Amino acid sequence: MQCQIVIICLLYVGVVYARTEEDQQASSASNANGITEIFSGLSEQCFYRPPTDCPDLNVDCPCKRISLSHNYESDAVLCCNLDNHTFENGLQCVGFPSNISYVHIRNATLDVFDAKKTRWRRLKSLAITDGRINRVKGQFLIMTPTLCLNLSNNALIEIDNNSLIRLAQLTTLDLSYNNLTHLPALNTMNGREFWLDISGTNTLWCHDIYQYINKTGEKQINFNRENETVCSASKTWHWFNTTEQVPLQQVRYLSLLQTECPKGDTWQCQCNFRRLDIVEGKPPTLAVNVDCSGIQLTELPDKLPRNTIALNVSYNNITVLDDLSTNPSYEDIREFYADYNNISSINKLEGSKFLDNYALLSLRYNKIKSLPTYILSLNVHDKSFGSSRLVKLGGNELHCDCNTAKYLKVWLQTRILDSDEVLCENVKEKVVDLEPSKMCVYPGDWTDYIYYIIATEVILLISLIAKVSYDYWIFKTAGYLPWPANKMPKLPCDWLCET
């Protein structure tokens, strides 16, 4: 009796060892061909066999029936190299679907896979991998107990949107390495874990994935091989007129965006997706727009969400721009709108990182009185050449003088987008309408007047000397003084001379 027990134990160990080796081979083949990995806890749900287990090519039936261990209540079927003509016969030759709950079909070439067929009604695991299938059409039947559906590596182009919504027990869906652009509707109700693998299917629109992350929540949907998963961003989702690949982590971040959006006791900013932001040397990121306009702020928000590139704080009571220079969360800002505030100076921006990166600075209708052009001159290019760096200062009332009329006027016209709306505080004119001849008093004007006075005095002096000389000559030759000298009253010195 003891001998029999030992023999049974040895046979059991041998079977376990054989199955372990087979599982390792399957896992190795899976990684080599980009197939979804089998997770612990789901190994009994997902039936998968490597290509080495395929029936021999010289056998009439391309499918074979596999008896599973006692943990499985029914058998499995493995089929290889099926096409539209051999699909039906291949399944029939192994007695499918009688007492079969697990199916793996490898290297199938099908125009359409019809999900509504009754034959799939009892399956707990269905894998159709490593083939060529153009489309999945129809709906799986109600109450189909499928837990695992693997359609990986088939170059799939389309799955009907409602094909999978009746799979109420589905916990593992592998759509990796296909050419899908849209995800079908997924049934993730009942709070169960749902594993989705879309790695290698880089043509999926990020918009679809974003919607599912928001709809299902972090606790209900999990992504297998998330670090290897990217999606495509298109112009239809408010992005650049191009198609770029975005890491899944960036899309997931959008669902958490509102929790990082600035807010206070009496105010709340609005944060939303802006566009795909591409910076040389960095992976593409989803840029964020923060709108804090019209909520009675007296200072800039202390913290902004990651990847914020645009901030709008217009129609508030903000007076200073210190955070643009000193706050680390403002380092990625490229567009800053602070129109209709109480900002009186831009001096704090001097030497800031903001001036190295910005694309647009809008400070319309504030209280800026002076404009140090050196702060912006090194960073703003001539707007006539279509520069991407723009400044708006319309509605501000500068203190205007001769320098404003001669130099600042020209600088505004070439560098400021709305220069025709910049006003003067002390002169009721626009800066662009100032005339230097009216605003400036040149030193040369006073010099000319002095020259005229000196010239006049010299002429008068010469005339006086000539008159005195003439009177003296008349007196010596004729003995009398000419008029008007003889009509002049006598002075005390004249009486002295007569005595």
Side-chain angles (χ1 to χ4, degrees):
M1 182 68 178
Q2 293 179 348
C3 181
Q4 291 178 347
I5 294 175
V6 171
I7 293 173
I8 292 174
C9 290
L10 290 175
L11 290 174
Y12 178 77
V13 171
V15 170
V16 171
Y17 177 81
R19 287 191 53 78
T20 302
E21 184 177 10
E22 182 181 59
D23 290 343
Q24 290 176 348
Q25 292 176 352
S27 176
S28 176
S30 172
N31 292 333
N33 294 280
I35 305 302
T36 185
E37 298 172 357
I38 305 301
F39 293 93
S40 60
L42 298 178
S43 58
E44 293 185 359
Q45 299 175 5
C46 298
F47 175 72
Y48 176 91
R49 284 295 180 268
T52 53
D53 286 357
C54 285
D56 294 335
L57 294 178
N58 55 2
V59 177
D60 293 336
C61 185
C63 300
K64 70 177 182 180
R65 196 167 183 132
I66 301 175
S67 295
L68 301 177
S69 66
H70 64 278
N71 292 328
Y72 295 85
E73 70 277 11
S74 56
D75 291 342
V77 165
L78 172 64
C79 300
C80 299
N81 307 313
L82 299 182
D83 56 27
N84 290 320
H85 303 291
T86 61
F87 194 83
E88 297 288 340
N89 295 333
L91 292 173
Q92 288 179 2
C93 69
V94 290
F96 181 81
S98 177
N99 198 34
I100 292 176
S101 297
Y102 305 89
V103 171
H104 184 191
I105 301 174
R106 299 186 60 92
N107 194 27
T109 303
L110 305 173
D111 294 329
V112 174
F113 172 78
D114 193 350
K116 68 177 181 293
K117 295 288 187 180
T118 309
R119 63 168 66 102
W120 317 121
R121 177 69 179 79
R122 297 181 62 253
L123 291 183
K124 290 189 175 182
S125 174
L126 173 61
I128 306 177
T129 68
D130 306 284
R132 186 79 183 182
I133 303 174
N134 293 325
R135 177 189 172 196
V136 174
K137 74 170 186 177
Q139 287 181 291
F140 284 94
L141 300 180
I142 297 177
M143 302 300 292
T144 299
T146 302
L147 301 173
C148 178
L149 178 61
N150 185 349
L151 300 175
S152 62
N153 202 25
N154 283 301
L156 263 173
I157 298 175
E158 180 185 3
I159 300 178
D160 285 359
N161 188 56
N162 61 354
S163 289
L164 311 181
I165 59 176
R166 292 177 176 174
L167 299 179
Q169 299 183 46
L170 187 66
T171 58
T172 305
L173 175 61
D174 191 340
L175 299 176
S176 60
Y177 294 92
N178 284 293
N179 297 326
L180 297 170
T181 56
H182 295 282
L183 275 176
L186 303 178
N187 185 340
T188 57
M189 304 298 289
N190 303 326
R192 68 187 187 282
E193 276 197 343
F194 191 97
W195 287 91
L196 175 64
D197 191 342
I198 52 174
S199 59
T201 307
N202 303 336
T203 51
L204 276 172
W205 292 135
C206 294
H207 184 266
D208 284 15
I209 301 171
Y210 175 69
Q211 287 181 331
Y212 275 109
I213 290 176
N214 274 350
K215 181 187 298 184
T216 60
E218 291 286 320
K219 295 182 179 179
Q220 293 182 338
I221 189 167
N222 303 280
F223 288 91
N224 183 16
R225 296 190 291 193
E226 181 170 336
N227 294 333
E228 305 170 30
T229 303
V230 299
C231 58
S232 292
S234 75
K235 60 181 180 180
T236 59
W237 200 24
H238 311 294
W239 293 359
F240 292 132
N241 188 11
T242 184
T243 299
E244 299 290 344
Q245 292 184 346
V246 183
L248 179 60
Q249 294 94 328
Q250 294 291 334
V251 182
R252 184 186 291 279
Y253 166 62
L254 293 181
S255 65
L256 303 175
L257 181 59
Q258 292 307 318
T259 62
E260 298 185 9
C261 200
K263 58 185 174 183
D265 295 335
T266 59
W267 55 272
Q268 170 74 62
C269 297
Q270 298 298 318
C271 299
N272 53 69
F273 171 73
R274 173 83 176 201
R275 63 171 183 249
L276 181 66
D277 192 25
I278 303 175
V279 178
E280 186 176 355
K282 297 181 179 180
T285 57
L286 298 179
V288 175
N289 178 77
V290 178
D291 187 355
C292 301
S293 59
I295 55 176
Q296 302 302 311
L297 291 179
T298 57
E299 57 186 14
L300 294 175
D302 290 335
K303 187 173 180 57
L304 298 176
R306 292 169 293 169
N307 305 324
T308 298
I309 68 163
L311 174 62
N312 187 353
V313 292
S314 300
Y315 298 96
N316 285 296
N317 299 312
I318 295 171
T319 57
V320 295
L321 301 175
D322 294 26
D323 282 298
L324 274 179
S325 301
T326 60
N327 195 325
S329 66
Y330 283 69
E331 290 183 353
D332 295 325
I333 294 289
R334 298 189 187 173
E335 297 181 15
F336 181 73
Y337 304 84
D339 304 335
Y340 295 93
N341 279 279
N342 297 317
I343 299 167
S344 59
S345 174
I346 64 169
N347 291 343
K348 289 292 185 179
L349 298 181
E350 182 178 1
S352 66
K353 189 174 181 179
F354 171 76
L355 291 183
D356 295 331
N357 300 325
Y358 84 99
L360 189 146
L361 171 63
S362 183
L363 299 174
R364 291 168 53 83
Y365 292 93
N366 277 276
K367 296 182 178 180
I368 298 175
K369 304 299 181 185
S370 63
L371 188 60
T373 58
Y374 64 88
I375 293 179
L376 299 174
S377 292
L378 297 178
N379 300 281
V380 183
H381 302 290
D382 195 327
K383 69 179 182 180
S384 62
F385 293 98
S387 169
S388 60
R389 292 187 173 184
L390 303 174
V391 177
K392 294 183 179 181
L393 296 172
N396 286 283
E397 297 184 356
L398 306 181
H399 180 80
C400 297
D401 53 21
C402 178
N403 184 69
T404 307
K406 289 182 65 178
Y407 305 110
L408 184 60
K409 169 186 172 179
V410 178
W411 187 89
L412 289 174
Q413 289 175 320
T414 56
R415 306 297 181 94
I416 305 302
L417 192 62
D418 55 354
S419 58
D420 58 335
E421 298 181 47
V422 182
L423 309 174
C424 288
E425 161 189 50
N426 52 327
V427 181
K428 298 304 179 182
E429 289 188 55
K430 297 178 179 179
V431 172
V432 295
D433 293 335
L434 292 178
E435 294 293 338
S437 60
K438 296 180 180 179
M439 296 296 297
C440 302
V441 179
Y442 294 100
D445 296 342
W446 290 107
T447 303
D448 293 342
Y449 291 141
I450 293 175
Y451 288 155
Y452 293 148
I453 294 172
I454 293 175
T456 302
E457 290 176 346
V458 170
I459 292 173
L460 290 175
L461 180 59
I462 293 174
S463 299
L464 180 59
I465 293 174
K467 175 61 177 173
V468 171
S469 299
Y470 174 75
D471 290 347
Y472 179 76
W473 180 75
I474 292 296
F475 178 75
K476 286 295 185 181
T477 56
Y480 67 91
L481 291 173
W483 190 93
N486 60 353
K487 299 296 183 181
M488 293 179 63
K490 291 184 178 182
L491 298 175
C493 61
D494 294 334
W495 294 103
L496 182 62
C497 293
E498 289 180 357
T499 60

